[in-house]
């Protein structure tokens, strides 16, 4: 893909999201989400190649020395802690990648889940840097009520997988949705789906009323 001549729009593509990450312009929770994605997908060659190109463009533009080069930042995410000397927290399961664990302070076994709907649990981390930040847990096979978004919704899958009209998302994948996307995510049948979500606007339920009701009840 040729380089974008204009400022990338985060609402459009993962590439744009990564470009904003490399440029250092993402809000903190979205940065953690991208870093967690990169920690889980170091083997993703296409992604690495794209980042390298982006980092090269960014290097040409010139960055403050104190930040390090984007390439160094990307390498540090893939290979180890970003902050040298940062203590590595121990985890029984290791489901959460290090950037997320460091951000939240614990791993999946210590999440104080609250049931929002039957078969759907959430941990509301709060409003951070203009974003609403949550962890979610979806029972195996459960449908999430159809909805669209009044902002951008970034979801990083940490365990299990879900599928919506845009594709299937497994561990390490980012689903990106906005007001152009109306979706009804469904967790895989064999295990619950756990993820990290960053949104900058509310959701709006869509679809026929009978479907909404059955999806809210999880039946
Ligand atoms: Zn959504």
């Amino acid at each position: 893909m040729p380089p974008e001549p204009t400022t990338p729009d985060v609402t459009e593509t993962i590439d744009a999201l990564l470009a904003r990450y490399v440029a250092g312009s993402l809000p903190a929770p979205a940065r953690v989400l991208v870093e967690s994605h990169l920690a889980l997908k170091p083997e993703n060659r296409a992604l690495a190649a794209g980042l390298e190109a982006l980092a090269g463009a960014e290097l040409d533009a010139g960055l403050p020395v104190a930040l390090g080069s984007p390439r160094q930042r990307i390498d540090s995410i893939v290979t180890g802690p970003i902050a040298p000397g940062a203590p590595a927290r121990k985890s029984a399961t290791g489901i959460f990648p290090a950037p997320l664990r460091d951000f939240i302070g614990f791993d999946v076994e210590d999440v104080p889940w609250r049931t929002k709907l039957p078969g759907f649990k959430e941990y509301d981390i709060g409003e951070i840097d203009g974003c609403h930040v949550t962890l979610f847990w979806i029972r195996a096979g459960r449908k999430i009520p159809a909805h669209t978004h009044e902002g951008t919704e970034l979801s990083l899958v940490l365990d299990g997988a879900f599928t919506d009209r845009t594709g299937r998302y497994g561990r390490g994948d980012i689903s990106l949705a906005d007001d152009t996307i109306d979706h009804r995510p469904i967790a895989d049948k064999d295990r619950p789906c756990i993820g990290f979500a960053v949104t900058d606007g509310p959701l709006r339920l869509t679809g026929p009323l009978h479907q909404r009701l059955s999806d809210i009840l999880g039946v």
Side-chain angles (χ1 to χ4, degrees), residues 147 149 153 177 183:
H147 62 271
H149 319 81
E153 174 189 74
H183 64 168

Side-chain angles (χ1 to χ4, degrees), residues 15 18-20 22 49-59 70:
D15 283 351
L18 295 172
R20 283 193 60 190
V22 169
L51 282 171
E52 200 162 351
L54 291 165
E58 206 52 46
L59 276 176

Side-chain angles (χ1 to χ4, degrees), residues 68-169:
S69 75
R71 183 72 220 174
Q72 285 167 339
R73 271 155 45 207
I74 292 158
D75 284 346
S76 75
I77 291 155
V78 172
T79 58
I82 297 153
R89 289 190 176 85
K90 288 208 163 62
S91 162
T93 60
I95 295 242
F96 291 178
L100 181 65
R101 209 162 57 238
D102 290 347
F103 181 66
I104 299 176
F106 43 81
D107 208 304
V108 70
E109 62 270 15
D110 294 319
V111 175
W113 297 111
R114 293 187 66 174
T115 297
K116 303 288 285 185
L117 299 172
F120 180 72
K121 297 188 279 189
E122 199 174 73
Y123 168 47
D124 191 340
I125 299 169
E127 303 291 327
I128 302 170
D129 221 358
C131 301
H132 190 207
V133 188
T134 59
L135 293 169
F136 60 83
W137 180 100
I138 312 169
R139 185 182 65 211
R142 197 202 198 286
K143 300 179 185 75
I144 295 301
H147 62 271
T148 187
H149 319 81
E150 291 180 15
T152 302
E153 174 189 74
L154 303 173
S155 305
L156 173 71
V157 174
L158 302 164
D159 199 24
F162 73 79
T163 300
D164 67 13
R165 63 194 302 172
T166 67
R168 180 176 180 273
Y169 300 89

